[in-house]
Amino acid sequence: MAFFYLLPMILLAIFVASFISAIIRTIQTEYANCSIPPGVSNPGKLRLIVAVLIVTSTLGRIFEKMELCSSLAFKRRVFSGWRPGPARGVRREDARLGRVPARLYRPRAAVRAPRPAVLLFHGGGWICCSLDSHERICQYIAKESGSLVVSVGYRLAPEHKYPAAYEDCLNATQHFLQHLEHYGVDPARVIVCGDSAGGNLAAAVSQTLAGRSDFPKLRAQILIYPGLQALDFNLPSYQQNRGVPLLFRERAAFCALQYIQGNTSNLEEVLEGSHIPPDLRLKYRKWVSPDNIPEKFKVRGYKPHKPCEFKPEVYETVKRFCEPNLCPLLAEDTIIQQLPESFILTCEYDVLRDDGLLYKKRLEDNGVRVTWYHLEDGFHGIVNLFEYCGLSFPSGKRGLDKAVAFIKSL
Ligand SMILES: *[C@@H]1O[C@H](CO)[C@@H](O)[C@H](O)[C@H]1NC(C)=O
Ligand SMILES: *[C@@H]1O[C@H](CO)[C@@H](O)[C@H](O)[C@H]1NC(C)=O
């Protein structure tokens, strides 16, 4: 009789054991692709975060196979974290700017009105994150800088491809600029801000509004480890940090492709550089080139990369990479010259480090004032971990505080 109970128990045990060992095997292989440099801030904590990310992506894949939800939906859910309660000292309110959803964070403290405003475009590779995921950062900036923070809930890829996200951010910004009085905001102190893909959107919106006389001029842009180009995935920082979390080199190209075409066919070609015609590559060399990266950023290792043979059919599908609204590093000097004062944060252990360094150079070469802050022990995403489930890094908070100090200095 006992046999009838035993058999299902044994089968269940085998099932659970193989499930767990499959997860462990996946974690081991993924760990093998990942490198945590010794100089990085708090490597133990970073390793823990990587394990959580790997488990998340493994579970996501399992759920997708079981047809419970797509792995992307699962990832989005996890990355949003839990929504924090209202911070003391900040009033939070959902709103719409034109047709775009937004969330406003108003400091309660009786500061002199009108106050500055920060329009914040969240990061997440154009495919993840949300108003919820960036709540803590928004609350912190509002409270510490005494500004109205406006977080913009733009549409995500791959469901909504380029230029959806850019257009939403632009539309929201324009709508806001037309109604400053309603928000009690100082028209001379409106700032755009974004991290990662959000930094890309902030840079693109700044460029579009530069020199427009029909809107109040932006006072500043804050770009936190922004992604600003998709021409060259072999710049020194991409080589040095190819396997450093939280953004692998391949993942950077993956996100750019999701944004531009809604899928990741051509990933290999884009990584190798066969997606850009030689004449265009030559044309943009003055702006996107390892030659413009200071030598001290090459000492950790850099091998000049010869792009593989050009593939016209790939270029045909990704040629919008040459639009500055997608790759702000490619804007003409006449636009760059009119950009507002800028704050750029870069991290040493980040594939996007050189995007930030190249943009800094372009701004400075064109007479735009730049406040640059480089986190020597920082990695991509470090600022976003601020107060996230106890996973903060002091270095990330320092970066955030520098951005706040910049806002207060305006
Ligand atoms: C925003 O988009 C909506 C719908 O496309 C449009 O009607 C509106 O004029 C836009 N607002 C601004 C400020 O561009
Ligand atoms: C990927 O997207 C491009 C452009 O949207 C499309 O032409 C191509 O067929 C898609 N490829 C796959 C495998 O879905």
Side-chain angles (χ1 to χ4, degrees), residues 161 261 263 265 317:
K161 293 184 279 187
Q261 64 180 23
N263 66 47
S265 56
T317 58

Side-chain angles (χ1 to χ4, degrees), residues 387-408:
E387 287 189 359
Y388 186 88
C389 311
L391 297 173
S392 291
F393 287 68
S395 181
K397 169 144 191 316
R398 214 165 58 233
L400 192 55
D401 283 333
K402 289 287 173 189
V404 166
F406 174 75
I407 297 170
K408 289 167 86 171

Side-chain angles (χ1 to χ4, degrees), residues 46-354:
L46 184 53
R47 224 166 261 129
L48 177 73
I49 292 168
V50 172
V52 171
L53 289 179
I54 293 172
V55 171
T56 305
S57 82
T58 310
L59 284 178
R61 261 177 278 159
I62 291 171
F63 292 159
E64 186 164 276
K65 279 220 175 86
M66 292 165 74
E67 293 181 7
L68 289 175
C69 67
S70 75
S71 76
L72 182 60
F74 182 68
K75 240 182 226 163
R76 282 180 184 162
R77 185 68 215 94
V78 173
F79 289 171
S80 277
W82 66 80
R83 192 174 168 188
R88 253 176 297 148
V90 178
R91 218 169 51 227
R92 176 172 77 179
E93 177 196 335
D94 283 327
R96 289 191 93 77
L97 296 174
R99 63 182 154 79
V100 185
R103 196 170 288 161
L104 311 184
Y105 301 85
R106 267 181 241 273
R108 279 180 206 274
V111 280
R112 282 173 299 125
R115 45 174 121 239
V118 178
L119 283 144
L120 185 130
F121 311 132
H122 66 77
W126 302 281
I127 58 177
C128 276
C129 295
S130 61
L131 298 179
D132 287 343
S133 64
H134 281 56
E135 277 255 3
R136 292 162 193 82
I137 290 179
C138 292
Q139 290 185 1
Y140 188 78
I141 295 177
K143 200 165 79 181
E144 298 299 317
S145 72
S147 342
L148 168 70
V149 173
V150 181
S151 187
V152 178
Y154 58 85
R155 286 169 293 167
L156 298 178
E159 296 92 326
H160 304 282
K161 293 184 279 187
Y162 171 80
Y166 156 75
E167 282 181 353
D168 285 356
C169 291
L170 179 63
N171 194 293
T173 306
Q174 291 180 332
H175 181 92
F176 185 72
L177 288 170
Q178 286 167 342
H179 298 88
L180 294 178
E181 216 164 300
H182 169 78
Y183 296 104
V185 161
D186 179 359
R189 284 187 298 163
V190 179
I191 300 151
V192 291
C193 168
D195 59 289
S196 194
N200 170 280
L201 295 166
V205 166
S206 292
Q207 289 184 359
T208 308
L209 293 175
R212 291 271 297 258
S213 53
D214 45 348
F215 292 97
K217 228 170 131 51
L218 293 176
R219 176 65 180 86
Q221 58 175 347
I222 297 178
L223 312 178
I224 296 173
Y225 33 69
L228 298 168
Q229 59 91 30
L231 247 54
D232 189 349
F233 289 93
N234 293 284
L235 291 166
S237 61
Y238 289 83
Q239 294 189 11
Q240 292 161 4
N241 306 307
R242 60 170 58 227
V244 179
L246 305 177
L247 181 66
F248 291 2
R249 167 176 174 263
E250 195 180 299
R251 188 77 188 167
F254 175 99
C255 291
L257 281 168
Q258 292 282 20
Y259 183 37
I260 196 177
Q261 64 180 23
N263 66 47
T264 55
S265 56
N266 309 326
L267 183 64
E268 272 318 308
E269 289 89 343
V270 167
L271 284 170
E272 284 304 322
S274 44
H275 61 308
I276 301 294
D279 57 327
L280 278 183
R281 201 171 278 289
L282 209 62
K283 171 180 169 192
Y284 292 127
R285 234 192 117 70
K286 57 185 179 210
W287 300 330
V288 182
S289 159
D291 300 343
N292 294 353
I293 302 293
E295 285 308 311
K296 68 170 176 173
F297 291 103
K298 296 179 189 161
V299 292
R300 282 203 295 124
Y302 169 65
K303 271 208 268 336
H305 175 82
K306 240 181 122 54
C308 292
E309 195 189 341
F310 170 56
K311 297 201 175 137
E313 71 282 7
V314 178
Y315 173 63
E316 215 33 59
T317 58
V318 302
K319 62 181 172 199
R320 296 189 85 181
F321 275 155
C322 296
E323 295 180 9
N325 290 337
L326 208 154
C327 291
L329 250 172
L330 308 184
E332 295 296 330
D333 284 339
T334 48
I335 300 290
I336 302 278
Q337 280 154 12
Q338 302 183 66
L339 286 174
E341 183 172 347
S342 306
F343 174 94
I344 299 180
L345 181 134
T346 50
C347 291
E348 178 56 28
Y349 300 106
D350 179 3
V351 288
L352 302 186
R353 180 196 70 195
D354 292 352

